Amino acid sequence: LERYKEQYPGKKHKDTLKGTVTEMLPNLEFRVHMDGTPEDQTLRCVVAGKMKLAHVKVIVGDRVEVVHTREMGQIGRIVWRH
C-alpha cells in the first residue's frame, strides 16, 4: 500500500471525523466542533453535493460526519447527518 501511494501521489488521504454543528454561516457553510479534540478545534464545513441534491437540511446541534483532507486546509465537507 505504501508503495502504491509513492507511485501515485495524486491519491488524497481522507480523514472522516465526527462532530456537532455549532454555528450556521452564509452560503450553506457551518462551523463544526470535532469530537475528541480540545474546545477550540473547529472546522468550517460545506455541505456535500449529494446532500444538496437530496435537500438534506443541517441545523445547529446536528451530529455530522465530516471528510477532511490535508489539501483542503481548514475546510471540511459534511457527508452524513445523524
Side-chain angles (χ1 to χ4, degrees), residues 40-75:
D40 60 345
Q41 181 70 27
T42 61
L43 280 177
R44 188 172 54 122
C45 298
V46 296
V47 178
K50 290 200 176 201
M51 287 184 65
K52 286 181 190 175
L53 291 175
H55 301 289
V56 175
K57 304 296 182 198
V58 178
I59 59 173
V60 174
D62 282 348
R63 306 259 313 128
V64 294
E65 282 187 23
V66 176
V67 172
H68 180 256
T69 61
R70 290 184 213 130
E71 291 81 12
M72 294 169 70
Q74 289 296 317
I75 300 175

Side-chain angles (χ1 to χ4, degrees), residues 14-57:
K14 296 179 182 177
D15 294 326
T16 302
L17 308 167
K18 292 186 179 182
T20 306
V21 176
T22 57
E23 182 182 357
M24 292 179 70
L25 302 171
N27 298 327
L28 286 177
E29 292 187 0
F30 302 90
R31 269 203 210 284
V32 178
H33 178 274
M34 298 295 123
D35 292 343
T37 60
E39 291 183 18
D40 60 345
Q41 181 70 27
T42 61
L43 280 177
R44 188 172 54 122
C45 298
V46 296
V47 178
K50 290 200 176 201
M51 287 184 65
K52 286 181 190 175
L53 291 175
H55 301 289
V56 175
K57 304 296 182 198

